[in-house]
Each structure stands twice: as C-alpha cells, then as structure tokens.
C-alpha cells in the first residue's frame, strides 16, 4: 500500500468562535467519505478546546501551529508540547517560514521543537522551503538540505518516521503563485532522495506535503505527482468549499 495522503489546514492567525464552528461543521460533514487520507486543521491556541470538542469522534484531526522547544519554565507567552498533549493534540507545525522569517527561528531551534513535539507523541509537520532570492541564486537545494539536516543531525534519520514534511517555497505562500507540479515534484524528490541516502525505508514511508497557494483549482494536479503526498493549506483552508475540494482531491 502506498503512503496515505494528508491535507492539513493552517489557519494562521484567523478565525473566531462563530466562523470556526461554521467551517468545522461543514468540513466534517462534507469530507466524511474520504478514504485512506487524513484531514487535519491547525488552529490558533485559544481555539483548541473548541476544535477538540467539535472534532471529537470525527475523522478530522487537529493540531497546533507552533510549539515551544522548552518543557516548562520562565518563557512568557510560550506553549509546551506537554500542555498541548493534555488536550490530545496530534500534530504541530514546526519551522513554518513565517516563524523562521518573522520570529527568527533558526534550524537548530526548529529541530528542538521537532524533538519536543515527538517527546509528547505529537507528530511534527516540519516545514522546509527557500525564498525567491535563494531560488534565483541557485541555492534552493542547499537551503532545504540544511533545514532537513538540522533535524537529522539532532535526532537521527529514524526520527523522521513519526513526522510529516511540508515543502513550502516561501515565494508561493499567500502570493497566489504556486510552484508548478513539476517544480514541486523536483524538490519533493530531492528531499526524499536525501533521506534515502541514510534510510530508504524512512524515505519511502514519509509523507511530503506541498504548501504555497494550493487551491481547489490546482490541488488535483499537484497531488497527482508521485512524491507529493498531500498539502499544507493556508488561505484556502478558511474557505469551506475550497478546503473540502482540496481534501477530496486526494481521492482521485
Ligand atoms: P497559503 O499558505 O496556502 O495561503 O499560500 C500556505 C502556508 O503558509 O502553509
């Protein structure tokens, strides 16, 4: 059997109790027929109890968008993996490019966050991706390799077994510019090959999601590529019909 696909919504700092409820109710009902694929929503922290209660007993899982690398202590404003695990959190995005670029998270910190998540049985969704400048200067692969190797160096390649990777070219996030299916496939293959150099089984099993302006209109082509195992969806995850169509694109 091949890899099970995943469609994960990243709500970022959007939502309200009313909007979330309306969105989650239709997503749960309209994606009920999904088979061999997972649907996840990564919500802002205050909405976790709401997501937990609306999604319990459903096929839709929920996760966090960030996690502290620390377990507890004097870290004002931070939220630990232990706290999230108390609520039954299943996934946490780590190293999203907005965290890297706007909040100064480097590769080492991202690797520590990855570790903290796994220590609490939370599946990290590790984001990798290059900026436009890096792509244009031919450094994309080197940048992505550095982001990936930071985790492998800290935890060993086997740690990737209980994780998901998301390739998100920074130039495609929220810009409406999607990588072409072939451009994305090339990078996904690069990532898988790099893991395979150390462990082929881990490379075969790991789900690599594409993120960056995925919409209902381009999801089918992207997800059809051999090394693209689903999507990490920002803007379109807030629009019920869009998100549902992207989830259903895994069923082709
Ligand atoms: P986008 O965001 O789908 O709005 O481009 C993707 C992401 O940042 O995860």
């Amino acid at each position: 059997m091949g890899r099970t696909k995943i469609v994960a919504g990243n709500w970022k700092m959007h939502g309200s109790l009313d909007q979330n409820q309306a969105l989650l109710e239709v997503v749960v009902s309209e994606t009920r027929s999904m088979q061999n694929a997972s649907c996840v929503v990564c919500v802002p922290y205050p909405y976790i109890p709401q997501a937990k209660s609306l999604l319990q007993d459903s096929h839709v899982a929920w996760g966090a968008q960030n996690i502290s690398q620390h377990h507890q202590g004097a870290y004002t404003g931070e939220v630990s993996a232990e706290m999230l695990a108390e609520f039954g959190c299943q996934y946490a995005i780590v190293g999203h490019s907005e965290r890297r670029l706007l909040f100064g998270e480097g590769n080492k910190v991202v690797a520590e966050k990855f570790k903290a998540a796994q220590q609490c049985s939370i599946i990290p969704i590790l984001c990798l991706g290059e900026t436009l400048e890096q792509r244009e200067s031919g450094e994309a692969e080197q940048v992505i390799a550095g982001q990936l190797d930071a985790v492998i160096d800290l935890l060993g390649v086997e740690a990737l077994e209980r994780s998901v990777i998301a390739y998100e070219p920074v130039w495609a996030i929220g810009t409406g510019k999607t990588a072409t299916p072939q451009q994305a496939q090339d990078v996904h293959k690069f990532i898988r090959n790099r893991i395979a150099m150390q462990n082929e089984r881990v490379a075969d099993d790991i789900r690599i999601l594409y993120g960056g302006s995925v919409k209902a209109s381009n999801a089918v082509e992207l997800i059809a590529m051999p090394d693209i195992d689903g999507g990490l969806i920002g803007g379109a995850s807030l629009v019920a019909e869009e998100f549902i169509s992207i989830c259903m694109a895994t069923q082709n």
Side-chain angles (χ1 to χ4, degrees):
M1 223 188 76
R3 295 178 290 269
T4 342
K5 297 205 165 28
I6 302 180
V7 174
N10 172 12
W11 289 3
K12 308 194 180 182
M13 200 171 73
H14 293 289
S16 70
L17 290 170
D18 287 349
Q19 286 169 13
N20 306 343
Q21 176 158 1
L23 178 62
L24 290 177
E25 282 175 358
V26 282
V27 167
V28 168
S29 73
E30 298 296 316
T31 59
R32 201 163 270 144
S33 64
M34 265 172 96
Q35 305 243 335
N36 295 323
S38 310
C39 175
V40 182
V41 289
C42 296
V43 307
Y45 294 136
Y47 299 135
I48 283 175
Q50 182 192 28
K52 178 178 163 62
S53 118
L54 288 171
L55 300 176
Q56 83 189 42
D57 305 322
S58 87
H59 59 287
V60 179
W62 62 269
Q65 298 171 13
N66 181 29
I67 202 164
S68 175
Q69 68 272 40
H70 303 292
H71 296 285
Q72 60 165 19
Y75 301 106
T76 302
E78 291 291 279
V79 173
S80 69
E82 284 79 356
M83 293 171 185
L84 293 166
E86 276 197 286
F87 287 82
C89 180
Q90 285 174 267
Y91 294 88
I93 298 173
V94 300
H96 189 278
S97 63
E98 286 151 18
R99 302 293 322 170
R100 292 179 188 266
L101 298 168
L102 304 174
F103 301 95
E105 292 181 8
N107 286 343
K108 187 163 176 291
V109 164
V110 172
E112 285 166 359
K113 288 176 181 240
F114 183 106
K115 178 179 176 190
Q118 283 191 334
Q119 283 175 332
C120 291
S121 301
I122 294 171
I123 298 172
I125 301 177
L126 171 67
C127 298
L128 314 175
E130 80 287 0
T131 63
L132 185 59
E133 206 184 4
Q134 290 163 337
R135 173 165 280 255
E136 286 177 344
S137 59
E139 290 164 38
E141 290 191 348
Q142 187 191 324
V143 168
I144 292 162
Q147 293 169 339
L148 177 65
D149 291 355
V151 170
I152 297 178
D153 292 347
L154 182 69
L155 301 167
V157 71
E158 283 76 21
L160 293 173
E161 253 170 340
R162 290 161 293 113
S163 79
V164 174
I165 288 176
Y167 167 56
E168 298 207 305
V170 178
W171 46 273
I173 295 179
T175 57
K177 271 194 227 161
T178 322
T180 64
Q182 192 58 51
Q183 270 176 329
Q185 165 61 26
D186 290 347
V187 178
H188 283 230
K189 186 80 198 149
F190 168 77
I191 294 168
R192 205 179 297 285
N193 285 344
R194 193 165 182 92
I195 299 169
M197 291 189 309
Q198 297 196 41
N199 187 318
E200 281 190 31
R201 186 182 44 80
V202 173
D204 280 344
D205 290 347
I206 194 161
R207 270 82 56 85
I208 308 179
L209 316 183
Y210 169 77
S213 300
V214 179
K215 307 183 267 288
S217 58
N218 57 26
V220 172
E221 293 188 285
L222 285 161
I223 294 175
M225 300 309 279
D227 288 291
I228 301 185
D229 305 308
L232 180 56
I233 321 298
S237 72
L238 301 167
V239 183
E241 309 79 78
E242 284 282 318
F243 190 61
I244 292 161
S245 300
I246 298 168
C247 289
M248 299 319 278
T250 60
Q251 305 294 291
N252 292 345

